Amino acid sequence: MNWPVYHIFKREMQRLARQKSARNLYLIIPVIVFILLGLIYYKGALREVPIAVYDNDNSTLSRAYIKSLEASPSLNVTYYIASKDKLENVFVSNNVEGIFYIPKDFHNDVLKSIPTQIKIYTNSTNIVFGNLLYKSAQEVTQLLSAGVVVKNIAPLGINPDKIRGTVMPIAINTKVLANPQYNYVYYLLPGLATVLIQMILFFAASRAFNNEWKQDTYTDLFTTANGSVVTMLLGKYLAHLVFGLSLCGFLFAIVFPIFSIPIYGDIGSLLVLMLLFLTVNIALGFGISLLFKDEIIALDVAIFYNSPAFVFSGFTFPIWAMPWFNRWYAEVIPYTHFLTGFLKIYQLNTPFRFIIPELQKLSIFLCIAVIIIIIGLIINRKHIFLQPKMSTI
Amino acid sequence: MNLKLIWQLLKKEATQIYNDHSILLALLAAPLLYFALMGSTYFNKDEENVSVGIVDLDNSHSSRAFLNKINATQKVDITHTYLDLNEAKNGLYRFDVQGLIHIPSGFENKLKAHESTPIGLILNNSKFLSSNDINKSVNLVAMDYAVESRENFFKSKEINPSLAAKKAQPIIAQIHAVYNPANNYGNFLLPALFILILHQTLLIGLSESVALDRKNNLIPFIFNDAPLSFLNYFFGKTGFYFLLYAAYTILTFFVIFPIFDLPLNNSMFTLITVSFLFFIATIFYGWFISSFFKSQARAMEVMAFTSYPVFLITGITWSFKDMPLVIQFMSNLIPLKPYFSFLKKETIMGVESNLYSNEIVHLLLLLLLGYVAVLLRFYYLKKQLLNRNVEVA
């Protein structure tokens, strides 16, 4: 064992444990935020979205339609609109997300083969509700419509075996991979938590060296490392890695089970990906820390670079739909590439070889981090490579 | 109130902001940069041409026609053709495609024989938006086939084409996405995102400044400077922030919203007035929280990590009533919650004023709560200082 590395590692572990900032970053923030995010989405999937119905027909068929709406697990009829209600206020005054309007003569028109339209208004200020209502409204209406068609074609003479093929010729067998439950906890919590891990590590690492200068402890660090920058970097890296891995352990071994989030993929592959991801962020943070002697500037850079990582990652809005500059920016954030690899393993359970492209891209980030570290070492060489006299003080 | 003193404090604060590059960056550069960077991400507002792969084992005229129809939809772009499901699965694993359409052999024969013709749709649901769009497009095309098939059946029974068309689809769901006609992601997220950017940069900038005051013992110094009343101190300290964010509010609603073609449906006067109240409440909250920090860096770090939780806890992306009660309670204590609700109702939905009066009352109550909290904290710090001075004397 290279003992100076161990000494630096031990020193850094103790330094981080003593620092209020590191305690906030590595302990308090993740515990509060991860649990909070899980609690927000703890129900997983949306069920029984409140809707209002205006039955202007009040017929057997309209009531059958309303019963179908009530039977849908996604919908819950909470309000029946009366003629005095102002339609434009119903959303807000009755806390509903959708309005189903059944027209007058609905039943008669169906009997007379006059196409009739059920008007559905969705409150699409929140597209989560908008999309769910669209899907449910289509399903319920198409089912009823198909039922009417079946009743109409039966008396005309048709082979019973052909009814289904005539009414719905193409049957779509949908197989949903990666989160077939459409569960929002499974979807959002892992993504948000991992982006926070990136930010935490980056922020903490971006103060690894400049904080030593600020606290006047750099000479001690230099002496402990026997004047070797590589030893300093390695020792500090291992300490931050331990904290980073602890965060991952907390996420995967505690938070995931609490919220019943499954990991479909291979843990070994996940570990390799996480290790490289953590390493890249620590190294980039170190680079910033060596480049900017003022830790506040370093932190500013870290915040500015990392804050948009989730938005740019393509997780909730695809990268290909962004303008070219944003697409480019997305590419220069390691989280974007980590996320792709992470989703491949964690949700799609892909074999290891499929995350090699992401590992390669993260390795490029590691090389860039090394270059930034070297530039930082050159720029601040006077503060880093202390003269023998200085180092012995 | 001593206006001269307030003016002096205001100038002192402006000088501090001007001289501190980090605060300057948070308050002056970050809002505009994030508006441009994050706002432009959703400039196209919606995704198009989601990449889809196909495995066409039938390779017939009918299967090609079906796939061409799917490819002609706005949302789907068939980018990859695979020879078998294994190869296709690899494409899905590589994230080359977001979904797969599998057409088995015998597709055309079954279709012509009016038999139910199953096809496979495999969706990568690790990102909900793309998965939903593919599902929707494929189902719509299948529905077109159903209508055509029914129509042909009725025609074959010597029913005139016009009546056959009517009989083919007796009930239609006409869905209107109200307040966001294209049901797109940009209109859903951007208004809240712009406000969040202002909220977070204000919190970060203010917290840095207050933490700096506490670190440099400037708050006690201000107390000593003159027998200031609370209001003199508070107006002087935070007046600059209010004026700056009042200007940002006007910029946001008069320039940024029109650039991104976001709706502004109701009284601009009400919107601006309530926005000012919101920022005053945020300043109270920001000062109170940051008065517990004595380190600028720690204040920055902690505030940077509040972005995601405060945004998501407001229920802007999820159903508020489906969150645990404790989370709902916490959310109701944050000024963003009633403000987002007000913004949605007043500006996006354009409903009558009595329908958002609760949100204004809620915001006023939080403003009062913030005021009381700041007042108590202020007198606590003052008392602490006086006690310390007595001890020193």
Side-chain angles (χ1 to χ4, degrees), chain B residues 141-386:
Chain B
V141 172
M143 196 59 214
D144 285 347
Y145 269 71
V147 172
E148 199 184 323
S149 158
R150 295 167 192 178
E151 217 176 306
N152 288 340
F153 172 80
F154 287 119
K155 279 186 212 164
S156 73
K157 297 295 173 185
E158 291 173 2
I159 291 173
N160 74 60
S162 155
L163 189 59
K166 288 174 182 173
K167 278 180 171 287
Q169 208 175 6
I171 306 168
I172 301 163
Q174 197 186 63
I175 303 173
H176 304 270
V178 191
Y179 313 122
N180 179 2
N183 202 36
N184 69 45
Y185 201 77
N187 281 357
F188 152 60
L189 202 66
L190 279 173
L193 186 67
F194 289 138
I195 298 301
L196 182 75
I197 290 170
L198 293 181
H199 182 264
Q200 288 309 108
T201 51
L202 171 60
L203 280 185
I204 292 174
L206 181 63
S207 65
E208 279 191 76
S209 170
V210 176
L212 200 64
D213 283 354
R214 290 218 62 205
K215 183 186 157 199
N216 297 332
N217 280 327
L218 272 177
I219 293 180
F221 168 74
I222 290 166
F223 292 149
N224 287 341
D225 211 14
L228 283 174
S229 75
F230 166 71
L231 284 178
N232 284 341
Y233 164 74
F234 203 79
F235 279 131
K237 174 73 190 170
T238 61
F240 181 85
Y241 297 88
F242 175 72
L243 291 174
L244 182 66
Y245 278 78
Y248 278 141
T249 305
I250 290 166
L251 176 85
T252 305
F253 293 123
F254 282 92
V255 181
I256 307 291
F257 266 52
I259 287 177
F260 287 92
D261 198 20
L262 296 172
L264 282 166
N265 282 324
N266 232 326
S267 154
M268 196 55 117
F269 176 75
T270 313
L271 175 63
I272 299 286
T273 309
V274 177
S275 302
F276 286 175
L277 288 178
F278 163 69
F279 281 113
I280 294 171
T282 306
I283 288 170
F284 279 132
Y285 272 65
W287 189 94
F288 177 74
I289 297 164
S290 47
S291 72
F292 290 93
F293 291 100
K294 281 187 175 176
S295 154
Q296 201 180 356
R298 267 209 308 280
M300 267 170 87
E301 280 169 352
V302 171
M303 289 301 179
F305 280 98
T306 59
S307 304
Y308 291 118
V310 297
F311 185 66
L312 299 172
I313 205 174
T314 58
I316 200 84
T317 59
W318 184 243
S319 164
F320 187 71
K321 71 171 180 55
D322 285 322
M323 293 180 191
L325 283 177
V326 63
I327 300 287
Q328 290 185 29
F329 177 75
M330 283 165 64
S331 176
N332 279 323
L333 290 175
I334 300 171
L336 261 181
K337 165 75 178 63
Y339 183 70
F340 274 162
S341 185
F342 160 80
L343 188 72
K344 189 163 102 173
K345 289 178 183 176
E346 201 265 0
T347 309
I348 300 165
M349 299 172 87
V351 296
E352 291 166 4
S353 59
N354 62 310
L355 294 173
Y356 54 75
S357 54
N358 281 349
E359 278 74 13
I360 298 178
V361 172
H362 187 169
L363 195 58
L364 285 169
L365 285 174
L366 292 183
L367 197 136
L368 185 67
L369 180 73
Y371 176 80
V372 172
V374 169
L375 189 73
L376 293 175
R377 179 77 182 145
F378 177 86
Y379 282 110
Y380 173 79
L381 289 175
K382 195 171 178 178
K383 195 177 158 191
Q384 209 180 32
L385 168 79
L386 291 174

Side-chain angles (χ1 to χ4, degrees), chain A residues 20-21 24-25 29 33 36-37 39-44 46 86 88-89 91-92 113 115-129 131 134 141-142 144-145 148-149 153 156-158 162 165-179 182-184 187 192 196 199-200 203 207 294 296-297 299-300 303-304 307 310-312 314-318 320-323 325-326 340 343-344 347-348 350-351 354, chain B residues 21-22 25 33-34 37-38 40-42 44-50 66 90 92-95 98 107 111 113-132 136 138-140 142-143 145-146 149-150 153-154 157 166-180 183-185 188 297-298 300-302 304-305 308-309 312-313 316-319 322-324 327 330 344-345 348-349 351-352 355:
Chain A
K20 278 186 184 172
S21 173
N24 285 340
L25 286 174
I29 288 171
V33 177
L36 187 73
L37 292 175
L39 285 174
I40 290 173
Y41 299 103
Y42 88 107
K43 279 211 171 169
L46 281 179
K86 278 187 182 175
E88 63 268 27
N89 288 342
F91 282 117
V92 177
S113 297
T116 179
Q117 288 183 340
I118 292 178
K119 290 193 169 73
I120 297 144
Y121 302 93
T122 63
N123 179 357
S124 292
T125 52
N126 184 338
I127 61 167
V128 176
F129 288 123
N131 285 335
Y134 179 93
T141 314
Q142 282 173 11
L144 189 69
S145 186
V148 173
V149 173
I153 64 172
L156 296 175
I158 184 169
K162 307 272 176 180
T166 305
V167 176
M168 204 66 212
I170 297 176
I172 299 167
N173 295 332
T174 309
K175 184 179 179 188
V176 181
L177 303 178
N179 198 356
Y182 283 85
N183 187 309
Y184 270 78
Y187 170 51
L192 286 164
L196 289 173
M199 286 170 74
I200 288 168
F203 286 12
R207 296 177 67 193
D294 183 339
I296 299 292
I297 296 185
L299 205 53
D300 280 331
I303 291 176
F304 181 76
S307 294
F310 188 71
V311 169
F312 283 87
F315 194 42
T316 54
F317 190 73
W320 67 80
M322 298 177 191
F325 178 79
N326 305 63
T340 309
L343 291 175
K344 284 178 180 176
Q347 288 199 327
L348 282 176
T350 60
F354 286 96
Chain B
H21 45 75
S22 181
L25 190 73
L33 275 171
Y34 282 139
L37 204 60
M38 289 164 105
S40 61
T41 300
Y42 303 107
N44 298 332
K45 294 196 174 176
D46 212 355
E47 65 171 358
E48 285 178 8
N49 301 328
V50 182
F66 176 70
N90 288 345
L92 204 67
Y93 281 174
R94 281 193 298 269
F95 274 38
Q98 305 300 313
F107 175 83
L111 208 59
H114 301 293
E115 285 174 24
S116 181
T117 315
I119 63 157
L121 174 64
I122 304 169
L123 297 169
N124 173 359
N125 202 31
S126 59
K127 296 171 185 176
F128 282 4
L129 194 66
S130 307
S131 160
N132 279 336
K136 209 163 144 181
V138 175
N139 275 288
L140 279 176
M143 196 59 214
Y145 269 71
S149 158
R150 295 167 192 178
F153 172 80
F154 287 119
K157 297 295 173 185
K166 288 174 182 173
K167 278 180 171 287
Q169 208 175 6
I171 306 168
I172 301 163
Q174 197 186 63
I175 303 173
H176 304 270
V178 191
Y179 313 122
N180 179 2
N183 202 36
N184 69 45
Y185 201 77
F188 152 60
R298 267 209 308 280
M300 267 170 87
E301 280 169 352
V302 171
F305 280 98
Y308 291 118
L312 299 172
I313 205 174
I316 200 84
T317 59
W318 184 243
S319 164
D322 285 322
M323 293 180 191
I327 300 287
M330 283 165 64
K344 189 163 102 173
K345 289 178 183 176
I348 300 165
M349 299 172 87
V351 296
E352 291 166 4
L355 294 173

